[in-house]
């Protein structure tokens, strides 16, 4: 059977008539009433198959208080059995826009009955060049209707890499840098409130103690105390905030029910380094001009390289023509000499 996989946080499209979503825990869920037609088919009867799309599901809170579920797509790994993972990001986005999103939007505009049956709204995620940082920070993020989790800088020429991509850089304000830990409680005989012990992931099911999480007495009594047993072994996201207790600087943000493991110790080390480095928004903005100049310089270098290749190609063509002309002249001269020799005899 042919498949199209929508991986949500890997969107998958499976089969001509079957579409599945896959989450980060590798759970597959069938998505009904969803179709991705191929381009230039006015009948909307031909659909993509064996296709893998990357994206994320978000809840947009509208001005009237209602919530709209959206799938924001941002990459295309495979389309109709064609593997795009080694192609540049700009190429993959071009395929995603022209072969997936645009035909899908045309179908919905022509077939309102399909639009009404969609399980969620599907859009191409808004992206900017890195030198458009000021626009992202001043306009895009403030107008988002869902929670923002920082900025991701992605190489425009790199292929898609599974797992950790070293060419991808994520930025958050220093006070929002968070880590996911496994939570365990440790009671002392004389204490009503336990220690909230955070553990990093080592391998398989092995975790190692990292630090404590700070919880006030009021928070313990009002939020944790009555149900603390159900939170044992859960993955929690915490932020580094030493303002309340410098000796226990980690504060609870939320439970990560979508994750099976805490952050690996190697990831914890990297995030700790980013917390120590603490690049602020002001520092980021101060580099916009340098980023723009570097981008422009790279484009000029590309153009010079392309121009040089074209000139080299023309030069080689001229040389080849001269060589052919020379061979033809030699051939004609030899024929003339041969005829002259025959006549003199």
């Amino acid at each position: 059977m042919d498949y199209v996989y929508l991986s949500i946080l890997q969107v998958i499209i499976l089969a001509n008539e079957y579409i599945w979503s896959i989450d980060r825990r590798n759970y597959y869920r069938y998505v009904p009433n969803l179709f991705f037609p191929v381009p230039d088919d006015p009948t909307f009867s031909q659909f993509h198959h064996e296709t893998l799309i990357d994206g994320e599901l978000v809840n947009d809170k509208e001005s009237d208080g209602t919530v709209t579920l959206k799938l924001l797509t941002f990459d295309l790994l495979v389309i109709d059995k064609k593997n795009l993972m080694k192609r540049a990001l700009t190429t993959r986005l071009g395929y995603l826009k022209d072969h997936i999103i645009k035909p899908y939007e045309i179908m919905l505009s022509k077939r309102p009955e399909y639009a009404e049956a969609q399980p969620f709204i599907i859009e191409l995620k808004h992206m900017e060049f890195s030198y458009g940082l000021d626009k992202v920070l001043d306009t895009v993020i403030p107008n988002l209707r869902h929670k923002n989790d920082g900025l991701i800088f992605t190489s425009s020429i790199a292929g898609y890499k599974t797992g950790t991509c070293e060419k991808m850089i994520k930025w958050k304000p220093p006070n929002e840098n968070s880590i996911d830990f496994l939570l365990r409680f440790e009671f002392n005989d004389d204490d009503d409130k336990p220690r909230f012990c955070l553990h990093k992931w080592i391998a398989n099911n092995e975790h190692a103690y990292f630090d404590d999480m700070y919880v006030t007495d009021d928070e313990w009594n009002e939020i944790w105390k009555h149900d603390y047993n159900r939170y044992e072994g859960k993955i929690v996201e915490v932020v580094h905030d030493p303002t309340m207790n410098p000796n226990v600087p980690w504060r609870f943000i939320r439970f990560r029910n979508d994750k099976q493991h805490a952050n690996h110790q190697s990831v914890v080390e990297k995030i700790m380094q980013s917390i120590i480095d603490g690049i602020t928004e002001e520092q980021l903005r101060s580099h916009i001009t340098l980023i723009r100049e570097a981008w422009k310089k790279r484009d000029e270098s590309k153009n010079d390289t392309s121009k040089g290749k074209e000139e080299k190609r023309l030069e080689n063509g001229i040389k080849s023509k001269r060589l052919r002309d020379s061979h033809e002249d030699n051939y004609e001269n030899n024929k003339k000499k041969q005829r002259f020799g025959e006549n003199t005899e």
Side-chain angles (χ1 to χ4, degrees), residues 208-235:
Y209 172 76
F210 177 77
D211 204 346
D212 281 15
M213 181 175 77
Y214 180 66
V215 174
T216 66
D217 291 341
D218 288 342
E219 289 169 342
W220 163 248
N221 289 317
E222 295 173 9
I223 302 172
W224 297 88
K225 185 174 182 177
H226 303 292
D227 284 325
Y228 74 88
N229 283 326
R230 61 184 286 212
Y231 304 131
E232 173 77 17
K234 292 280 190 179
I235 306 299

Side-chain angles (χ1 to χ4, degrees), residues 122-169:
I122 299 177
E123 296 178 354
L124 186 66
K125 187 168 185 175
H126 183 88
M127 300 182 196
E128 290 286 342
F129 291 116
S130 53
Y131 54 77
L133 262 175
D134 47 357
K135 179 181 178 181
V136 173
L137 294 170
D138 295 334
T139 305
V140 177
I141 292 179
N143 288 295
L144 288 177
R145 294 193 291 272
H146 56 268
K147 189 179 184 302
N148 169 60
D149 194 31
L151 304 177
I152 296 179
F153 295 83
T154 308
S155 170
S156 64
I157 60 174
Y160 187 99
K161 188 177 186 309
T162 58
T164 301
C165 179
E166 299 296 337
K167 293 183 178 293
M168 188 178 290
I169 302 172

Side-chain angles (χ1 to χ4, degrees), residues 4 23 32 56-57 62 70 80 125 138 154-155 184 199 216 238 248 255 260 263 299 306:
V4 177
D23 62 20
E56 60 180 344
L57 274 175
E62 309 298 343
K70 285 186 178 180
D80 300 325
K125 187 168 185 175
D138 295 334
T154 308
S155 170
R184 296 203 182 282
H199 293 72
T216 66
V238 298
V248 187
F255 291 105
Q260 292 178 308
N263 283 141
D299 280 348
S306 299

Side-chain angles (χ1 to χ4, degrees), residues 181-196:
F181 290 109
L182 183 139
L183 177 64
R184 296 203 182 282
F185 298 102
E186 185 176 307
F187 283 90
N188 293 321
D189 294 337
D190 300 331
D191 294 334
D192 175 55
K193 186 175 75 172
R195 288 176 56 201
F196 287 68

